[in-house]
Amino acid sequence: MKDCIFCKIINKELPSDIIYEDEKVIAFKDINPQAPIHILICPKKHIETINDLKEEDKEIIGHLFLVAKKLAKDLNVDKRGYRIIVNCNKEGGQEIYHIHFHFLAGKPLGKLVC
Ligand code: 5GP
Ligand code: ZN
């Protein structure tokens, strides 16, 4: 998508600190980290929100979780713990309309507050 920041990161038109990449997924550091480890895990396919997911996207969403699991092990936070968040639309706090997991770790994250 032409005006999507994450598509530009995926296409290397914008710089980012890439932690992991494969054919279908990219993971890079959040520019404004909310925890010592704050990584965004995105499908390379431009999907705007959870609401836009199709039956055919089942595999890619499963793949995002497997990448999260791998990052947790590689970064040695799998046993300590981590949190995955996906925001959807305005009241869900979504700012970038290219679906992504927030992978947060590295400190006690406490209860989710709303
Ligand atoms: P959302 O609010 O859409 O769930 O999350 C968007 C996230 O993208 C935010 O945590 C924000 O800090 C991050 N972000 C926004 N622009 C950029 C950017 O250009 N590069 C990187 N690495 N992260 C970004
Ligand atoms: Zn995009």
Side-chain angles (χ1 to χ4, degrees), residues 17-60:
D17 202 340
I18 296 171
I19 302 289
Y20 173 87
E21 184 170 13
D22 64 30
E23 206 181 299
K24 298 237 156 85
V25 168
I26 190 166
F28 52 92
K29 288 188 184 174
D30 195 292
I31 206 168
N32 183 22
Q34 303 300 307
I37 297 172
H38 187 172
I39 296 168
L40 302 173
I41 309 173
C42 305
K44 290 191 171 175
K45 178 179 176 186
H46 180 88
I47 304 167
E48 293 197 356
T49 76
I50 294 175
N51 295 337
D52 300 300
L53 285 170
K54 301 197 172 88
E55 194 66 21
E56 70 207 37
D57 298 320
K58 267 200 288 203
E59 197 177 319
I60 187 73

